[in-house]
Every structure is written in C-alpha cells, then in structure tokens.
Amino acid sequence: MRSAVSDRQPRRAFAAIWRLLRALLRQPQSAIGAALVGFFLLLALFGGALAPHPNANDQSHAVRQPPTLDLGALQLGAHPFGTDRLGRDVYSRVILGASSIFRIAGLGTLISVVLGSALGMFMGYQGGWLDEALGRIIDALLAIPALLLALVLVGIIRNLDFEIGSWQAGLADNVVLLVIAALYIPIVARVARSATLDIKTREFVQAAEIRGESRAYIIFREILPSVIPALVVEASLRFSYAIFLVASLGFLGFGARPPSPDWGLMVNENRGGYYRLTPWALEFPALAIAALVIAVNLMSDGIRRAAQKGE
Amino acid sequence: MLPFLRRRFVFFLFTYLLSSLMIFFLLRVLPGDPARVIAGGREATAEQVAEIRAALGLNAPLPQQYVAWLGDFLRGDWGETIAFRGAHNRELVLERARNSARLALVALLLSVPLSLALGVIAGLSENKLPDILISLLTLSVVSLPEFVTGLFLINTVALAGGGSPLADALGWWFPASSAVPANASFGEMLPALWLPAAAATLVLLAYISRLTRAGVIEELKREYVRAAALKGIPWRAVIWRHVLRNALLPTITVIAISISWLISGLVVIEFVFGFPGLGGLLITAIERRDLLLAQAIVMVTVTIILFANLFADMAYAALNPRVRLG
C-alpha cells in the first residue's frame, strides 16, 4: 500500500514547474526573454524551411553585397543581410546557424542535468565516504576554469583523431556537446546533492525507508519531485552558460568547422581585415549571439527569481 | 585562528594534489600517446616513437610517471616547447603569465571599484529605478560573450577612432593595437591594455555587482540597522559606518572567486585582441598539439586560482572574528 504522502509527490513537482512558468511570464523582463528564446527556437527547428537559401554553403551569389532594407528583400534571391566574401547569403546562414547552437547547448545541458542530478541525488542520499570522495574530486575539477577545461578536452578529443587518423562519423560534430555535458555534470551534481541533503531527513523519505522501498525508488519517486525546482533553476542557468560556451568555442575555432554556419565561427571568419570589406558578415551573427545570450539570461534570471519567490 | 588555518591549508594541499592528478591523467593518458604526437603523428615510425617514449619516461608505470611529472613541475622543469621550436615551457609560460597578470591587474583596478559602486547603489535602492536599470545593464550588455564586446571595442574605438582628433590628443596613449611584443615592459604595454581590460571589466562587473547588491540588501534587513536608525543616528552614517562595512566583507571572497572567471574571460579576450598572454598561448598550444605546454599552462592557472582562494579565505578570517574563532 502506498501512503498518501508519497502519491502526492509527483503531482507536487508538476505543480511547482507550472507555478514557475506562470511566475516567469508575469515578469515583463523574463517574459520578453522567454519570447525571444521561443523565437530563436522556432528558427532552430524550422530554419531549413525558413531560410531563403537552405544550402548554407551556397556560393552562387555575387560576393560582398551590402545588406538591403528593400521591401522585396525577403523574396527569394535577395540578401537582406548581404553576402559574405565567398558569395554566401548571410541572412540564410544566420537562420541556419540557430539549429546547431540550440542542439549543442540544449542537448549538452540536458545530458548534464540528467546524469548530474542522478549522481548528485545518489551522493546526497548515500552519504558516507563515497559522497565525501566524489565531492572532493568535484571540488578539484572545479578549480580548473570551465573554458580552459573545455579547450583542453576538445584538444584531447581532436588529438585522438590525429592519433587514430579517422573520425567516427558523428563524433566530430558532437565534440562540443560531449564536452559541455562532461563539464556541467559535476556542477549539477553539486547542486542536486545539496538539495537532496535538505530533503532526505523529511518524513515522507523516512516513511518510504520504513516501508522498505529500494534505494532507486526513494531517490527517483520520493526525493526527485522535491528537488525538481532547484534542478530547473540550475538547468536554465547551465543552458545560458552553455550557449555562451558554444559561441565562444566556435569563435576560438574549437567548435564547428568551416564551412558550417556556426555563429561564433562566422564572427571569427569575418573579423580583422575582412571586417573592412564586409562588416555585415560579422555584425549579423554577432548580433544573433548577443540577442540569444541576453534572451536566455533574462529568462533564466526570471526562473531563478520565480523559484525564490515560490519557496 | 590556527586550527582554521591548518584545516584550510590541508584542504588546499589536498585540492591541489587532486587537481594536478586530474590534469596529469587528462593530458597524458587520455590522448593516447604523446610520444607519437611529438614524433610527428601518424607518419612517425615505430622506432622514432619508441625512442621518444624512452626519453620522456613514458614506459614507467603511471603512478611513477605522475610523481616524476609533479616533481619536475614543482622544481620548475617543465620541459621543452614543441609549438615554438627551441623555447622552454617555463620561460614561455612565465612570460605570458606575467603579461596576463598585468592585464588582469588593470582589469581588476577598473572593475572592482566600479562594480562595488554599482552593487551598493542597486542594493540601497532595491526594486526602485536605479536598481532595475543596473540589473538590466548587468544582465544584458554585460553578459555578452567577451568576443562580441571585444570586437565591438576594437571596431568602434581602435579602428574607427584611429586618426580622429581624440586619438591625436591621446597620442601614444591611444589603444591602437593590443598585439604588443611579449617581452615589452609594463609601461610600454600600458596603452595596449586599456581596451582588453575594458572588455574584461564587463566580465566581472555583472558578477561582483550582483553579489554586492545581495550583500547590501541582506545587511539592511538586520535588526541593528533598525536599532541604529531608531536611536537617531543619521541614515547616511548608518550606511557608511555599519551597513557597508559588513556588506563589503564577503566581497574579498567574491573577488578571489571571480579570478577564475577572469581567467576564462582572458583566454577569449587575449585571442580577440592578439595580446601575448597565457590564454592566447594555451590556444596555440592546443592547436599545435603541444600537450606538455598545455599541461604547464593549466597547472599554472590552477595554482593561481587555488592560491587566490586560500588567500581570500585567510583574509576573510583575519577580518571576521566569527570565522577566526569558530
């Protein structure tokens, strides 16, 4: 027989998420942020259909055309954001670039949140020497700045390529995704662990222990629903850092490889001497990054404040 | 004080050892065979690889390799650079670290007073207009990636401002280019530091000012503030003598923690500005697969960060009797 207490847990979790979302949309700043993120998400999902030139590497246009505000500019064949030095349509490339940054940052965050919270809840619930040892390892890992660790990890994976001489087909595109997941697992674990420590002394957890439930049941059915608000806040924060990191790694040349329409890479490819020739080829992707980062930050700040209010 | 210091120092040593262990394993074990990389990759013959393996001591068991490597590092023997032929890792890394430290110093001198002021203003006007404006500013403009703000500064100040009356008036002080020689003196380098330091300031501004704001708000809610105000002490005096003193104490820790942020930010900023610092060197090292150099750079960075944290905790304890005695 399940007690009434444990049956209420999952429903409480959904209610908490729902409350968070409603509070998010009530604040003007975070509502604007969420709307902008939604807009970019649509671009990411349907960019292939929305871009006038769905082939990002289509070099068939006249080179170095300036942007145009012509009303007919959205017609096929025009270049509202101009063309770059290779004759590629900047507007299409910016639209197409949304999908990779969302996929890498989003999936990377998702993987790190799922694995990190499982690890953290286990550590917090288990306690003892294992928790202590893992906690110390996480502390030591966090002493290395995130970007440095990311660069080193990308370098290592690339080195494996150099060493073995052949890429596993999908791996090359997913290096940054894996690095983000690896980087954020310990950070999420730390948050999940401390949230679990608060919960595990509650009565409903003790009740489940007395009923003789398994450890997995207690962690996932009893503790998880109560730590979900903290995890949602952490996930939104991680997502905003992940966007930042993907853009930075792309810019440094450690992310997507040319000729992918990656925003950071586009900024890097068009700086320096090229900036004088085609400033728009740098400005539009930089603007896209800026808008997305600001939007994600406004949204995650709203989620954090909504969660604090809910407590 | 002493038990606290002892505990803190043991923790420092432990974290340092673990971090070094991780750096060693990440860079020596995972990438496969460093000897093959040094020998020139796939094209190298088995004999060449074996020769380098023996020379580097890579045939020894891993724990032994780790101890030898850490001993070499602590003694200052960081090996020869592959990325730049004929250079020694130690001289290279220390020279670039010095340049980065100069940049970080200018950035801290710019950003700490500014962000403390912004944080205090925001905290004293919680949820009023100044606070909302400051939080919008720190959330949006300041949270942009460093390369976006860096390129913006380069394009609007250095490129567009060149030849303008302002640039003529500033003369030598005008930050035309940050790609200075790596061995320039601090004075020679100073004009080149303004723009990258301004970009780095933005990295820290949001972080420090938001934590300062939270500290001020928390302190304003304390009972003693109300008691002091009710006793008739002028509000200004309450703020200056009591609230700010207590609220700004944790800032020491915040600044130390933000060193880690600053280092990440400097990697990108140095790359954007072409500044000869540690971050730029790390990118070159990884691009040219110079693992020993990358290892030395990360070790130096971790050393700086852990020492900064240790120092901050000690300063905090010295200033805060509750920690010192607790």
Side-chain angles (χ1 to χ4, degrees):
Chain A
M1 193 189 83
R2 299 270 177 265
S3 75
V5 181
S6 73
D7 281 344
R8 265 208 307 274
Q9 292 304 311
R11 245 176 280 151
R12 209 178 67 195
F14 287 123
I17 293 179
W18 182 235
R19 256 208 320 277
L20 266 180
L21 274 178
R22 275 212 324 239
L24 177 73
L25 294 178
R26 263 204 299 273
Q27 309 168 46
Q29 286 180 25
S30 51
I32 293 170
L36 254 175
V37 174
F39 167 73
F40 278 113
L41 186 64
L42 284 180
L43 285 189
L45 291 174
F46 305 111
L50 293 170
H53 307 282
N55 175 8
N57 206 25
D58 178 1
Q59 303 185 2
S60 61
H61 314 288
V63 296
R64 301 205 294 265
Q65 289 186 63
T68 164
L69 277 172
D70 194 343
L71 276 181
L74 288 174
Q75 286 170 3
L76 220 76
H79 308 291
F81 291 0
T83 58
D84 67 7
R85 62 176 192 272
L86 297 175
R88 298 178 295 193
D89 181 38
V90 176
Y91 180 63
S92 298
R93 283 174 68 78
V94 169
I95 290 180
L96 292 167
S99 83
S100 76
I101 197 165
F102 262 91
R103 189 179 61 86
I104 295 172
L107 278 181
T109 308
L110 189 71
I111 295 173
S112 70
V113 168
V114 169
L115 295 182
S117 49
L119 176 68
M121 285 189 298
F122 171 75
M123 282 166 65
Y125 182 66
Q126 187 76 15
W129 67 267
L130 195 62
D131 173 39
E132 186 79 10
L134 285 171
R136 294 293 173 212
I137 291 175
I138 289 175
D139 280 343
L141 253 178
L142 295 185
I144 309 173
L147 184 68
L148 263 68
L149 198 55
L151 287 174
V152 166
L153 288 175
V154 173
I156 286 170
I157 299 175
R158 288 206 174 165
N159 226 23
L160 278 176
D161 160 43
F162 182 69
E163 185 88 6
I164 302 164
S166 68
W167 271 117
Q168 289 289 315
L171 188 64
D173 296 332
N174 293 318
V175 170
V176 177
L177 197 163
L178 293 176
V179 166
I180 285 178
L183 222 52
Y184 291 161
I185 284 174
I187 302 178
V188 175
R190 199 138 91 154
V191 172
R193 174 184 176 274
S194 68
T196 304
L197 288 181
D198 283 346
I199 302 297
K200 80 172 185 184
T201 51
R202 300 274 179 88
E203 276 150 8
F204 58 82
V205 178
Q206 289 170 346
E209 280 166 356
I210 293 167
R211 287 202 306 273
E213 302 286 5
S214 69
R215 189 190 300 152
Y217 178 92
I218 293 174
I219 289 178
F220 289 107
R221 294 293 300 273
E222 302 286 347
I223 293 176
L224 178 64
S226 301
V227 298
I228 273 187
L231 291 179
V232 170
V233 173
E234 187 58 24
S236 72
L237 194 66
R238 284 302 125 216
F239 182 61
S240 69
Y241 285 128
I243 294 269
F244 197 98
L245 200 61
V246 175
S248 298
L249 285 174
F251 172 74
L252 294 174
F254 285 77
R257 293 171 189 221
S260 347
D262 179 85
W263 293 344
L265 187 65
M266 285 164 78
V267 170
N268 188 12
E269 283 173 338
N270 291 294
R271 70 199 184 105
Y274 297 119
Y275 178 71
R276 281 164 218 245
L277 295 172
T278 55
W280 50 85
L282 179 148
E283 282 158 1
F284 285 108
L287 213 61
I289 293 170
L292 180 59
V293 170
I294 292 174
V296 171
N297 269 321
L298 288 175
M299 190 180 77
S300 75
D301 191 57
I303 290 176
R304 186 181 53 81
R305 268 188 302 182
Q308 272 173 355
K309 242 176 244 169
E311 270 165 13
Chain B
M1 186 83 181
L2 264 178
F4 169 77
L5 278 186
R6 204 181 310 134
R7 238 181 310 135
R8 190 59 189 73
F9 193 70
V10 169
F11 176 73
F12 165 81
L13 278 184
F14 192 78
T15 314
Y16 195 65
L17 275 179
L18 255 181
S19 305
S20 71
L21 198 66
M22 245 168 311
I23 294 165
F24 172 80
F25 272 93
L26 274 178
L27 282 159
R28 178 132 333 158
V29 180
L30 284 181
D33 194 347
R36 178 168 289 277
V37 179
I38 294 169
R42 262 171 270 154
E43 294 82 17
T45 63
E47 291 82 52
Q48 283 171 321
V49 175
E51 202 175 300
I52 293 170
R53 282 189 76 84
L56 284 176
L58 292 178
N59 293 322
L62 277 177
Q64 200 180 324
Q65 277 189 47
Y66 166 70
V67 172
W69 168 77
L70 189 64
D72 282 350
F73 180 82
L74 293 177
R75 259 185 282 118
D77 178 9
W78 302 352
E80 275 179 37
T81 313
I82 305 167
F84 305 91
R85 242 168 239 298
H88 286 277
N89 282 337
R90 192 163 72 107
E91 281 101 67
L92 200 60
V93 170
L94 289 183
E95 183 184 70
R96 300 303 179 90
R98 188 200 59 197
N99 293 345
S100 287
R102 289 168 174 173
L103 182 52
L105 180 74
V106 177
L108 283 172
L109 286 178
L110 285 176
S111 63
V112 170
L114 188 62
S115 47
L116 286 185
L118 285 178
V120 169
I121 293 171
L124 291 178
S125 61
E126 189 190 356
N127 291 334
K128 297 205 193 83
L129 191 64
D131 179 31
I132 293 170
L133 287 180
I134 290 172
S135 83
L136 262 180
L137 178 87
T138 51
L139 260 179
S140 50
V141 183
V142 154
S143 55
L144 292 176
E146 299 86 2
F147 66 93
V148 174
T149 47
L151 285 170
F152 179 79
L153 288 173
I154 291 176
N155 293 334
T156 54
V157 179
L159 292 182
S164 69
L166 181 70
D168 289 340
L170 285 171
W172 176 76
W173 285 95
F174 183 76
S177 165
S178 294
V180 289
N183 56 2
S185 73
F186 190 48
E188 289 167 350
M189 214 174 254
L190 204 50
L193 293 175
W194 294 130
L195 276 192
T201 297
L202 296 180
V203 177
L204 297 175
L205 201 61
Y207 189 60
I208 301 180
S209 69
R210 291 179 87 183
L211 285 168
T212 308
R213 172 186 178 273
V216 170
I217 288 173
E218 195 186 327
E219 210 59 36
L220 279 176
K221 286 184 184 141
R222 294 283 165 91
E223 301 247 315
Y224 76 85
V225 175
R226 208 185 328 164
L230 288 175
K231 229 170 79 182
I233 300 177
W235 187 237
R236 197 173 283 270
V238 177
I239 299 288
W240 280 104
R241 274 199 224 131
H242 301 286
V243 174
L244 289 190
R245 241 186 227 193
N246 282 314
L248 294 185
L249 190 58
T251 312
I252 301 167
T253 323
V254 169
I255 293 170
I257 295 171
S258 63
I259 298 279
S260 165
W261 279 58
L262 184 59
I263 289 177
S264 274
L266 284 184
V267 173
V268 178
I269 289 168
E270 287 169 1
F271 180 79
V272 172
F273 285 89
F275 181 79
L278 203 56
L281 188 66
L282 177 68
I283 289 174
T284 313
I286 295 175
E287 270 172 356
R288 302 198 189 164
R289 305 173 204 285
D290 188 342
L291 295 174
L292 290 175
L293 181 57
Q295 220 165 22
I297 294 170
V298 179
M299 273 303 280
V300 167
T301 313
V302 169
T303 311
I304 293 169
I305 288 172
L306 288 178
F307 264 111
N309 286 343
L310 178 72
F311 177 74
D313 278 3
M314 274 161 36
Y316 189 72
L319 293 172
N320 187 347
R322 272 170 301 186
V323 178
R324 191 167 60 212
L325 304 171

